[in-house]
Coordinates of all heavy atoms in Angstrom, one line a residue:
M190 N 0.9 -1.2 0.0 CA 0.0 0.0 0.1 C 0.9 1.3 0.0 O 1.8 1.4 0.7 CB -0.9 0.0 1.2 CG -1.8 1.1 1.3 SD -2.9 1.1 2.8 CE -3.7 -0.4 2.8
G191 N 0.6 2.2 -0.9 CA 1.4 3.4 -1.0 C 1.3 4.3 0.2 O 0.2 4.2 1.0
Q192 N 2.3 5.1 0.5 CA 2.4 6.0 1.7 C 1.1 6.9 1.8 O 0.5 7.1 2.7 CB 3.6 6.7 1.8 CG 3.7 7.6 3.0 CD 3.8 6.8 4.3 OE1 4.1 5.5 4.3 NE2 3.6 7.4 5.4
G193 N 0.7 7.5 0.6 CA -0.4 8.4 0.5 C -1.7 7.8 0.9 O -2.5 8.2 1.7
L194 N -1.9 6.6 0.4 CA -3.2 5.8 0.6 C -3.2 5.4 2.1 O -4.2 5.5 2.8 CB -3.3 4.6 -0.3 CG -4.5 3.8 -0.1 CD1 -5.8 4.6 -0.3 CD2 -4.6 2.6 -1.1
R195 N -2.1 4.9 2.7 CA -2.0 4.4 4.0 C -2.3 5.6 5.0 O -3.1 5.5 5.9 CB -0.6 3.8 4.4 CG -0.5 3.5 5.8 CD 0.8 2.8 6.2 NE 1.1 1.6 5.4 CZ 2.2 1.6 4.5 NH1 3.0 2.7 4.4 NH2 2.4 0.6 3.7
R196 N -1.8 6.8 4.7 CA -2.1 8.0 5.5 C -3.5 8.4 5.5 O -4.1 8.7 6.5 CB -1.2 9.2 5.1 CG -1.3 10.4 6.0 CD -0.4 11.5 5.5 NE -0.9 12.2 4.4 CZ -2.0 12.9 4.3 NH1 -2.7 13.1 5.3 NH2 -2.3 13.4 3.1
L197 N -4.2 8.3 4.2 CA -5.5 8.6 4.1 C -6.4 7.7 4.9 O -7.3 8.1 5.6 CB -5.9 8.6 2.6 CG -7.4 8.9 2.3 CD1 -7.7 10.3 2.7 CD2 -7.6 8.7 0.8
L198 N -6.1 6.4 4.9 CA -6.9 5.4 5.6 C -6.7 5.5 7.1 O -7.6 5.0 7.8 CB -6.5 4.0 5.1 CG -7.0 3.7 3.7 CD1 -6.5 2.3 3.3 CD2 -8.5 3.8 3.5
D199 N -5.5 6.0 7.6 CA -5.2 6.0 9.0 C -5.3 7.3 9.6 O -4.5 7.7 10.5 CB -3.8 5.4 9.2 CG -3.8 3.9 8.9 OD1 -4.8 3.3 8.9 OD2 -2.7 3.5 8.5
E200 N -6.0 8.4 9.0 CA -6.1 9.7 9.5 C -6.7 9.8 10.9 O -6.3 10.7 11.6 CB -6.9 10.6 8.5 CG -6.0 10.9 7.3 CD -6.8 11.8 6.4 OE1 -8.1 11.9 6.5 OE2 -6.3 12.4 5.5
R201 N -7.6 9.0 11.2 CA -8.3 9.1 12.6 C -7.3 8.8 13.7 O -6.6 7.8 13.7 CB -9.5 8.2 12.7 CG -10.6 8.7 11.8 CD -11.8 7.7 12.0 NE -11.6 6.5 11.3 CZ -12.0 5.3 11.6 NH1 -12.7 5.2 12.7 NH2 -11.8 4.3 10.8
A202 N -7.3 9.7 14.7 CA -6.5 9.5 15.9 C -7.1 8.6 16.9 O -6.5 8.0 17.7 CB -6.1 10.8 16.5
D203 N -8.5 8.4 16.8 CA -9.2 7.6 17.8 C -8.8 6.1 17.7 O -8.5 5.7 16.6 CB -10.7 7.7 17.6 CG -11.2 9.1 18.0 OD1 -10.6 9.8 18.8 OD2 -12.3 9.5 17.4
Q204 N -8.9 5.5 18.8 CA -8.7 4.0 18.8 C -9.9 3.4 18.0 O -11.0 3.7 18.2 CB -8.7 3.5 20.2 CG -8.6 2.0 20.4 CD -7.2 1.6 20.5 OE1 -6.3 2.3 20.8 NE2 -7.0 0.3 20.3
R205 N -9.5 2.4 17.1 CA -10.6 1.8 16.3 C -10.8 0.4 16.9 O -9.9 -0.2 17.5 CB -10.1 1.7 14.8 CG -10.1 3.0 14.2 CD -9.6 2.8 12.8 NE -8.8 4.0 12.5 CZ -8.0 4.1 11.5 NH1 -7.9 3.1 10.7 NH2 -7.3 5.1 11.4
A206 N -12.0 -0.1 16.8 CA -12.3 -1.4 17.3 C -13.2 -2.1 16.3 O -13.9 -1.5 15.6 CB -13.0 -1.3 18.7
S207 N -13.1 -3.4 16.4 CA -14.1 -4.2 15.6 C -15.4 -4.1 16.3 O -15.5 -4.3 17.5 CB -13.7 -5.7 15.6 OG -12.5 -5.8 14.8
P208 N -16.5 -3.8 15.6 CA -17.8 -3.6 16.2 C -18.3 -4.9 16.7 O -18.0 -6.0 16.2 CB -18.6 -3.1 15.1 CG -18.0 -3.5 13.9 CD -16.5 -3.5 14.2
V209 N -19.1 -4.8 17.8 CA -19.7 -6.1 18.3 C -20.6 -6.6 17.3 O -20.7 -7.8 17.1 CB -20.5 -5.8 19.7 CG1 -21.2 -7.0 20.2 CG2 -19.5 -5.3 20.7
S210 N -21.5 -5.8 16.7 CA -22.4 -6.2 15.7 C -21.6 -5.9 14.3 O -21.1 -4.9 14.2 CB -23.7 -5.4 15.7 OG -24.4 -5.7 14.5
Q211 N -21.7 -6.9 13.4 CA -20.9 -6.7 12.2 C -21.8 -6.1 11.1 O -21.3 -5.8 10.0 CB -20.5 -8.1 11.7 CG -19.5 -8.7 12.7 CD -18.2 -7.9 12.7 OE1 -17.6 -7.5 11.8 NE2 -17.7 -7.7 14.0
T212 N -23.0 -5.7 11.4 CA -23.9 -5.1 10.4 C -24.5 -3.8 10.8 O -24.6 -3.6 12.1 CB -25.0 -6.0 9.9 OG1 -25.8 -6.4 11.0 CG2 -24.5 -7.3 9.2
A213 N -24.8 -2.9 10.0 CA -25.6 -1.7 10.3 C -26.5 -1.3 9.1 O -26.4 -1.9 8.0 CB -24.5 -0.6 10.5
M214 N -27.4 -0.4 9.3 CA -28.2 0.1 8.3 C -27.8 1.5 7.8 O -27.6 2.4 8.7 CB -29.6 0.1 8.8 CG -30.7 0.4 7.7 SD -30.9 -0.9 6.6 CE -31.7 -2.1 7.6
L215 N -27.5 1.6 6.6 CA -27.1 2.9 6.0 C -28.3 3.6 5.4 O -28.9 3.1 4.5 CB -26.0 2.7 5.0 CG -25.5 3.9 4.2 CD1 -24.6 4.8 5.1 CD2 -24.7 3.5 3.0
D216 N -28.5 4.9 5.8 CA -29.6 5.7 5.1 C -28.8 6.8 4.3 O -28.0 7.5 4.9 CB -30.4 6.4 6.2 CG -31.3 5.4 6.9 OD1 -31.9 4.4 6.3 OD2 -31.5 5.6 8.2
H217 N -29.2 6.8 3.1 CA -28.6 7.8 2.2 C -29.6 8.2 1.1 O -30.1 7.2 0.3 CB -27.3 7.3 1.6 CG -26.7 8.2 0.5 ND1 -26.7 8.0 -0.8 CD2 -26.1 9.4 0.7 CE1 -26.2 9.0 -1.5 NE2 -25.7 9.8 -0.5
D218 N -29.9 9.4 0.9 CA -30.9 9.9 -0.1 C -32.2 9.1 -0.1 O -32.7 8.8 -1.1 CB -30.2 9.7 -1.6 CG -29.3 10.9 -1.9 OD1 -29.3 11.9 -1.1 OD2 -28.5 10.8 -2.8
G219 N -32.7 8.9 1.1 CA -34.0 8.3 1.2 C -34.0 6.7 1.0 O -35.1 6.2 1.0
R220 N -32.8 6.2 0.8 CA -32.8 4.7 0.7 C -32.0 4.1 1.9 O -31.1 4.7 2.4 CB -32.1 4.4 -0.6 CG -32.8 4.9 -1.8 CD -32.3 4.1 -3.0 NE -33.4 4.2 -4.0 CZ -33.2 3.9 -5.2 NH1 -32.1 3.5 -5.7 NH2 -34.3 4.0 -6.0
R221 N -32.4 2.9 2.2 CA -31.8 2.1 3.2 C -31.0 0.9 2.7 O -31.5 0.3 1.8 CB -32.8 1.7 4.3 CG -33.4 2.9 4.9 CD -34.4 2.4 6.0 NE -33.6 2.6 7.2 CZ -33.9 2.1 8.4 NH1 -34.9 1.4 8.5 NH2 -33.0 2.3 9.4
H222 N -29.7 0.7 3.2 CA -29.0 -0.4 2.8 C -28.3 -1.1 3.9 O -27.9 -0.4 4.9 CB -27.8 0.1 1.9 CG -28.2 1.0 0.8 ND1 -28.6 0.6 -0.4 CD2 -28.3 2.4 0.7 CE1 -28.9 1.6 -1.2 NE2 -28.7 2.7 -0.5
V223 N -28.3 -2.5 3.9 CA -27.6 -3.2 4.9 C -26.2 -3.2 4.6 O -25.8 -3.5 3.4 CB -28.2 -4.6 5.1 CG1 -27.4 -5.4 6.0 CG2 -29.7 -4.6 5.5
V224 N -25.3 -2.8 5.5 CA -23.9 -2.7 5.2 C -23.1 -3.5 6.3 O -23.7 -3.7 7.4 CB -23.4 -1.3 5.2 CG1 -24.0 -0.5 4.0 CG2 -23.6 -0.6 6.5
R225 N -21.9 -3.9 6.0 CA -21.0 -4.5 6.9 C -20.1 -3.6 7.6 O -19.4 -2.8 6.8 CB -20.3 -5.7 6.3 CG -19.4 -6.5 7.2 CD -18.8 -7.7 6.5 NE -17.9 -7.4 5.5 CZ -16.6 -7.2 5.5 NH1 -16.0 -7.2 6.7 NH2 -16.0 -6.9 4.4
L226 N -20.0 -3.5 8.9 CA -19.1 -2.7 9.6 C -17.7 -3.4 9.6 O -17.6 -4.5 10.0 CB -19.5 -2.4 11.0 CG -20.7 -1.5 11.2 CD1 -21.2 -1.6 12.7 CD2 -20.4 0.0 10.9
I227 N -16.7 -2.5 9.2 CA -15.3 -3.0 9.2 C -14.6 -2.6 10.5 O -13.9 -3.4 11.2 CB -14.5 -2.6 8.0 CG1 -15.2 -3.2 6.7 CG2 -13.0 -3.1 8.1 CD1 -14.7 -2.7 5.4
D228 N -14.7 -1.3 10.9 CA -14.2 -0.8 12.1 C -15.1 0.4 12.6 O -15.8 0.9 11.8 CB -12.7 -0.6 12.1 CG -12.3 0.6 11.3 OD1 -13.1 1.6 11.3 OD2 -11.2 0.6 10.8
L229 N -14.9 0.7 13.8 CA -15.8 1.6 14.5 C -14.9 2.4 15.5 O -14.2 1.8 16.2 CB -16.9 1.0 15.1 CG -18.0 1.9 15.8 CD1 -18.7 2.8 14.8 CD2 -19.0 1.0 16.4
S230 N -15.1 3.7 15.5 CA -14.5 4.5 16.6 C -15.5 5.7 17.0 O -16.4 5.9 16.3 CB -13.1 5.1 16.1 OG -13.4 6.2 15.3
P231 N -15.2 6.4 18.0 CA -16.1 7.5 18.4 C -16.2 8.5 17.2 O -17.2 9.2 17.1 CB -15.5 8.1 19.6 CG -14.7 7.0 20.2 CD -14.2 6.2 19.1
S232 N -15.2 8.6 16.4 CA -15.2 9.7 15.4 C -15.7 9.2 14.0 O -15.9 10.0 13.1 CB -13.8 10.4 15.2 OG -12.9 9.4 14.7
G233 N -15.8 7.9 13.8 CA -16.2 7.4 12.5 C -16.2 5.9 12.3 O -16.0 5.1 13.3
A234 N -16.5 5.5 11.1 CA -16.5 4.1 10.8 C -16.0 3.8 9.4 O -16.1 4.7 8.6 CB -18.0 3.6 11.0
M235 N -15.6 2.6 9.2 CA -15.3 2.1 7.8 C -16.4 1.0 7.6 O -16.6 0.1 8.4 CB -14.0 1.5 7.6 CG -13.7 1.1 6.2 SD -12.1 0.3 5.8 CE -11.0 0.7 7.1
I236 N -17.0 1.1 6.4 CA -18.1 0.1 6.0 C -17.8 -0.5 4.7 O -17.0 0.0 3.9 CB -19.4 0.7 6.0 CG1 -19.5 1.8 4.9 CG2 -19.8 1.2 7.4 CD1 -21.0 2.3 4.6
A237 N -18.2 -1.7 4.5 CA -18.2 -2.4 3.2 C -19.5 -2.1 2.5 O -20.6 -2.3 3.0 CB -18.0 -3.9 3.3
F238 N -19.5 -1.4 1.3 CA -20.7 -1.0 0.6 C -20.3 -0.9 -0.9 O -19.4 -0.1 -1.2 CB -21.1 0.3 1.1 CG -22.4 0.9 0.4 CD1 -23.6 0.2 0.5 CD2 -22.3 2.0 -0.3 CE1 -24.7 0.6 -0.1 CE2 -23.5 2.6 -0.9 CZ -24.7 1.9 -0.8
Q239 N -21.1 -1.7 -1.7 CA -20.8 -1.6 -3.1 C -21.5 -0.6 -3.9 O -21.3 -0.4 -5.1 CB -21.2 -3.0 -3.7 CG -20.3 -4.2 -3.1 CD -18.8 -3.9 -3.4 OE1 -18.4 -3.6 -4.5 NE2 -18.0 -4.3 -2.5
G240 N -22.4 0.2 -3.2 CA -23.2 1.2 -3.9 C -22.3 2.5 -4.1 O -21.2 2.5 -3.8
K241 N -23.0 3.4 -4.7 CA -22.3 4.7 -5.0 C -22.5 5.8 -3.9 O -23.5 6.2 -3.6 CB -22.9 5.3 -6.4 CG -22.7 4.4 -7.5 CD -21.3 4.5 -8.1 CE -21.2 3.7 -9.4 NZ -20.0 3.4 -9.8
L242 N -21.3 6.2 -3.4 CA -21.3 7.3 -2.4 C -20.2 8.1 -2.8 O -19.1 7.7 -3.1 CB -21.2 6.7 -0.9 CG -22.3 6.0 -0.3 CD1 -21.9 5.4 1.1 CD2 -23.5 6.9 -0.1
A243 N -20.4 9.4 -2.7 CA -19.3 10.4 -3.0 C -18.8 11.1 -1.8 O -19.5 11.3 -0.8 CB -19.9 11.4 -4.0
E244 N -17.6 11.5 -1.8 CA -17.0 12.3 -0.7 C -17.9 13.5 -0.5 O -18.4 14.2 -1.4 CB -15.6 12.8 -1.1 CG -14.9 13.5 0.0 CD -13.5 13.8 -0.5 OE1 -12.8 13.0 -1.1 OE2 -13.0 14.9 -0.1
G245 N -18.3 13.7 0.8 CA -19.1 14.8 1.2 C -20.6 14.4 1.4 O -21.4 15.2 1.9
D246 N -21.0 13.3 0.9 CA -22.4 12.9 1.0 C -22.7 12.8 2.5 O -21.9 12.2 3.3 CB -22.6 11.5 0.4 CG -22.8 11.5 -1.1 OD1 -22.8 12.7 -1.7 OD2 -22.9 10.5 -1.8
Q247 N -23.9 13.2 2.9 CA -24.4 13.1 4.3 C -25.2 11.7 4.4 O -25.9 11.4 3.5 CB -25.4 14.2 4.6 CG -24.8 15.6 4.5 CD -23.7 15.7 5.6 OE1 -23.9 15.4 6.7 NE2 -22.5 16.3 5.2
V248 N -24.9 11.0 5.4 CA -25.4 9.6 5.7 C -25.8 9.5 7.1 O -25.4 10.3 8.0 CB -24.5 8.5 5.2 CG1 -24.1 8.6 3.8 CG2 -23.2 8.6 6.0
T249 N -26.6 8.6 7.4 CA -26.9 8.1 8.7 C -26.7 6.6 8.8 O -27.1 5.9 8.0 CB -28.4 8.4 9.1 OG1 -28.6 9.8 9.1 CG2 -28.7 8.0 10.5
L250 N -26.0 6.2 9.8 CA -25.8 4.8 10.1 C -26.6 4.4 11.4 O -26.5 5.0 12.3 CB -24.3 4.5 10.4 CG -23.4 4.2 9.3 CD1 -22.0 3.9 9.8 CD2 -23.8 3.1 8.4
Q251 N -27.4 3.4 11.2 CA -28.1 2.8 12.3 C -27.2 1.7 12.9 O -27.2 0.6 12.3 CB -29.5 2.3 11.9 CG -30.3 1.6 13.0 CD -30.7 2.6 14.1 OE1 -31.2 3.7 13.8 NE2 -30.6 2.2 15.3
L252 N -26.5 2.0 13.9 CA -25.6 1.0 14.5 C -26.4 0.2 15.6 O -27.0 0.7 16.5 CB -24.4 1.7 15.2 CG -23.6 2.7 14.3 CD1 -22.6 3.5 15.1 CD2 -22.9 1.8 13.3
L253 N -26.4 -1.1 15.3 CA -27.2 -2.0 16.3 C -26.7 -1.9 17.7 O -27.5 -1.9 18.6 CB -27.1 -3.4 15.8 CG -27.7 -3.6 14.3 CD1 -27.6 -5.0 13.9 CD2 -29.2 -3.1 14.2
D254 N -25.5 -1.7 18.0 CA -24.9 -1.6 19.3 C -25.0 -0.2 19.9 O -24.8 0.0 21.1 CB -23.5 -2.0 19.3 CG -23.3 -3.5 18.8 OD1 -24.3 -4.2 18.9 OD2 -22.3 -3.8 18.3
H255 N -25.1 0.9 19.0 CA -24.9 2.2 19.5 C -26.0 3.2 19.1 O -26.0 4.4 19.3 CB -23.6 2.8 19.0 CG -22.4 1.9 19.4 ND1 -22.0 2.0 20.7 CD2 -21.6 1.1 18.8 CE1 -21.0 1.1 20.8 NE2 -20.7 0.6 19.6
G256 N -27.0 2.7 18.3 CA -28.1 3.6 17.8 C -27.7 4.4 16.6 O -26.6 4.1 16.0
P257 N -28.6 5.3 16.1 CA -28.3 6.1 14.9 C -27.2 7.1 15.1 O -27.1 7.7 16.1 CB -29.6 6.7 14.6 CG -30.3 6.8 15.9 CD -29.8 5.7 16.7
V258 N -26.4 7.4 14.1 CA -25.4 8.4 14.1 C -25.3 9.0 12.7 O -25.3 8.2 11.7 CB -24.1 7.9 14.6 CG1 -23.5 6.8 13.8 CG2 -23.1 9.0 14.8
T259 N -25.3 10.3 12.6 CA -25.1 11.0 11.3 C -23.7 11.2 11.0 O -22.8 11.3 11.9 CB -25.9 12.3 11.2 OG1 -25.4 13.1 12.2 CG2 -27.3 12.1 11.4
G260 N -23.3 11.3 9.7 CA -22.0 11.6 9.3 C -21.8 12.0 7.9 O -22.8 12.1 7.2
Q261 N -20.6 12.1 7.5 CA -20.3 12.5 6.2 C -19.2 11.5 5.6 O -18.3 11.2 6.3 CB -19.6 13.9 6.2 CG -19.3 14.5 4.9 CD -18.8 15.9 5.0 OE1 -17.9 16.2 5.8 NE2 -19.3 16.8 4.2
V262 N -19.4 11.2 4.3 CA -18.5 10.3 3.6 C -17.2 11.1 3.4 O -17.2 12.2 2.9 CB -19.0 9.9 2.3 CG1 -18.1 9.1 1.5 CG2 -20.3 9.1 2.5
R263 N -16.1 10.5 3.9 CA -14.7 11.1 3.7 C -14.1 10.5 2.5 O -13.3 11.3 1.9 CB -13.9 10.9 4.9 CG -14.5 11.5 6.2 CD -14.8 13.0 6.1 NE -13.6 13.7 6.1 CZ -13.4 14.9 5.7 NH1 -14.5 15.6 5.5 NH2 -12.3 15.5 5.8
W264 N -14.3 9.2 2.2 CA -13.7 8.6 1.0 C -14.5 7.4 0.7 O -15.2 6.8 1.5 CB -12.2 8.3 1.3 CG -12.0 7.4 2.5 CD1 -11.7 7.9 3.7 CD2 -12.0 6.0 2.6 NE1 -11.5 6.7 4.6 CE2 -11.7 5.6 3.9 CE3 -12.3 5.0 1.6 CZ2 -11.7 4.3 4.3 CZ3 -12.2 3.7 2.1 CH2 -11.9 3.4 3.4
S265 N -14.4 6.9 -0.6 CA -15.1 5.7 -1.0 C -14.3 5.1 -2.2 O -14.0 5.8 -3.2 CB -16.5 6.1 -1.5 OG -17.1 5.0 -2.0
R266 N -13.8 3.9 -2.0 CA -13.1 3.2 -3.1 C -13.1 1.7 -2.8 O -13.0 1.2 -1.7 CB -11.7 3.8 -3.2 CG -10.7 3.4 -2.1 CD -9.4 4.0 -2.5 NE -8.7 4.9 -1.7 CZ -9.2 5.8 -0.8 NH1 -10.4 5.8 -0.5 NH2 -8.5 6.6 -0.2
E267 N -13.1 1.0 -3.9 CA -13.0 -0.5 -3.9 C -14.0 -1.1 -2.9 O -13.6 -2.1 -2.2 CB -11.6 -0.9 -3.6 CG -10.6 -0.4 -4.7 CD -9.2 -0.7 -4.4 OE1 -8.9 -1.5 -3.4 OE2 -8.3 -0.2 -5.2
G268 N -15.2 -0.7 -2.9 CA -16.2 -1.3 -2.0 C -16.1 -1.0 -0.5 O -16.8 -1.6 0.3
R269 N -15.3 0.0 -0.1 CA -15.2 0.5 1.2 C -15.4 1.9 1.3 O -15.1 2.7 0.4 CB -13.8 0.1 1.8 CG -13.6 -1.4 1.9 CD -12.4 -1.8 2.6 NE -12.3 -3.2 2.8 CZ -11.7 -3.8 3.7 NH1 -11.0 -3.2 4.6 NH2 -11.7 -5.1 3.8
V270 N -16.0 2.3 2.4 CA -16.4 3.7 2.6 C -16.0 4.2 4.0 O -16.3 3.4 5.0 CB -17.9 3.9 2.4 CG1 -18.3 5.4 2.7 CG2 -18.3 3.5 1.1
G271 N -15.3 5.3 4.1 CA -15.0 5.9 5.4 C -15.9 7.0 5.7 O -16.2 7.9 4.9
I272 N -16.5 7.0 6.9 CA -17.5 7.9 7.3 C -17.0 8.6 8.6 O -16.5 8.0 9.6 CB -18.8 7.2 7.6 CG1 -19.4 6.6 6.3 CG2 -19.9 8.2 8.2 CD1 -20.6 5.7 6.6
N273 N -17.0 9.9 8.5 CA -16.7 10.8 9.7 C -18.0 11.2 10.4 O -18.9 11.9 9.8 CB -15.9 12.0 9.3 CG -15.4 12.8 10.4 OD1 -14.9 12.3 11.4 ND2 -15.5 14.2 10.3
F274 N -18.2 10.8 11.6 CA -19.4 11.1 12.4 C -19.5 12.6 12.7 O -18.5 13.2 13.1 CB -19.5 10.3 13.7 CG -19.6 8.8 13.5 CD1 -19.1 7.9 14.4 CD2 -20.3 8.3 12.4 CE1 -19.2 6.6 14.2 CE2 -20.4 6.9 12.1 CZ -19.9 6.1 13.1
S275 N -20.7 13.2 12.7 CA -20.9 14.5 13.2 C -20.6 14.7 14.7 O -20.1 15.7 15.1 CB -22.4 14.9 12.8 OG -22.7 14.8 11.5
R276 N -21.0 13.7 15.4 CA -20.7 13.5 16.8 C -20.7 12.1 17.2 O -21.3 11.3 16.5 CB -21.7 14.4 17.7 CG -23.1 14.0 17.5 CD -24.0 14.9 18.3 NE -24.6 14.0 19.3 CZ -25.5 14.3 20.2 NH1 -25.9 15.5 20.2 NH2 -26.0 13.5 20.9
P277 N -20.0 11.8 18.3 CA -19.8 10.3 18.6 C -21.2 9.7 19.0 O -22.0 10.4 19.5 CB -18.9 10.3 19.8 CG -18.2 11.6 19.8 CD -19.1 12.6 19.1
P278 N -21.4 8.4 18.7 CA -22.5 7.7 19.2 C -22.7 8.0 20.7 O -21.7 7.9 21.5 CB -22.3 6.3 18.9 CG -21.3 6.3 17.8 CD -20.5 7.5 18.0
E279 N -23.9 8.2 21.2 CA -24.2 8.4 22.6 C -23.5 7.3 23.5 O -22.9 7.6 24.5 CB -25.7 8.4 22.9 CG -26.3 9.7 22.3 CD -25.8 11.0 22.9 OE1 -25.7 11.0 24.2 OE2 -25.7 12.0 22.2
S280 N -23.7 6.0 23.2 CA -23.1 5.0 24.1 C -21.6 5.0 24.1 O -21.1 4.5 25.0 CB -23.7 3.6 23.6 OG -23.3 3.4 22.3
M281 N -20.9 5.5 23.1 CA -19.5 5.6 23.1 C -19.0 6.7 24.0 O -17.9 6.7 24.4 CB -18.9 5.7 21.7 CG -19.2 4.4 20.9 SD -18.4 4.6 19.3 CE -17.2 3.3 19.5
L282 N -19.9 7.8 24.2 CA -19.5 8.9 25.1 C -19.4 8.4 26.5 O -18.6 8.9 27.3 CB -20.5 10.0 25.0 CG -20.6 10.8 23.7 CD1 -21.7 11.7 23.7 CD2 -19.3 11.5 23.5
D283 N -20.2 7.4 26.9 CA -20.1 6.9 28.2 C -18.9 6.2 28.6 O -18.5 6.1 29.7 CB -21.3 5.9 28.4 CG -22.7 6.5 28.3 OD1 -22.8 7.8 28.4 OD2 -23.6 5.8 28.0
R284 N -18.1 5.8 27.5 CA -16.9 5.0 27.8 C -15.7 5.9 27.9 O -14.7 5.5 28.3 CB -16.7 4.1 26.6 CG -17.7 3.0 26.4 CD -17.4 2.2 25.2 NE -18.5 1.3 25.0 CZ -18.6 0.6 23.9 NH1 -17.7 0.6 23.0 NH2 -19.7 -0.2 23.8
E285 N -15.8 7.2 27.6 CA -14.7 8.0 27.7 C -14.5 8.6 29.0 O -15.4 8.7 29.8 CB -14.8 9.2 26.7 CG -14.8 8.6 25.2 CD -15.0 9.7 24.2 OE1 -15.4 10.8 24.5 OE2 -14.8 9.5 23.0

């Protein structure tokens, strides 16, 4: 993996964890999609999603373990999407 791509994928300073639930519901443009969570942190998530999402798109993830959280697509490529949350999921705030 090239240095530029590695830096882009590893920009978040928060500790990432494998989510307890491996699936979530993605809401985008009035449509709902079941997606697979790859990792999760208080500031964002990486999901597996084969649909079209563009950088800057506003989305909501319904996290089974943490409830709904809104965010913005930061990057999308090769079936993976990075989402930056507008604010951490409520249940993750309790852990800090």
Side-chain angles (χ1 to χ4, degrees):
M190 180 181 305
Q192 183 66 14
L194 182 57
R195 181 178 300 117
R196 188 180 68 73
L197 180 63
L198 292 175
D199 293 335
E200 283 181 342
R201 287 183 282 147
D203 292 334
Q204 177 91 18
R205 293 177 218 166
S207 294
V209 174
S210 173
Q211 297 295 315
T212 59
M214 189 68 69
L215 173 74
D216 291 322
H217 175 254
D218 280 346
R220 296 199 157 166
R221 300 187 92 194
H222 310 273
V223 175
V224 297
R225 185 171 60 89
L226 287 169
I227 297 170
D228 71 32
L229 181 65
S230 76
S232 65
M235 184 186 340
I236 62 170
F238 179 64
Q239 296 300 319
K241 300 281 186 198
L242 289 173
E244 186 176 319
D246 282 354
Q247 297 296 314
V248 297
T249 299
L250 274 180
Q251 176 67 44
L252 302 169
L253 300 179
D254 303 332
H255 304 287
V258 61
T259 59
Q261 183 178 50
V262 174
R263 301 303 290 168
W264 55 267
S265 178
R266 74 177 115 341
E267 298 177 7
R269 293 188 177 206
V270 178
I272 298 170
N273 185 43
F274 296 149
S275 301
R276 52 182 250 185
E279 290 295 321
S280 62
M281 292 184 114
L282 289 174
D283 298 339
R284 297 178 187 173
E285 295 177 348

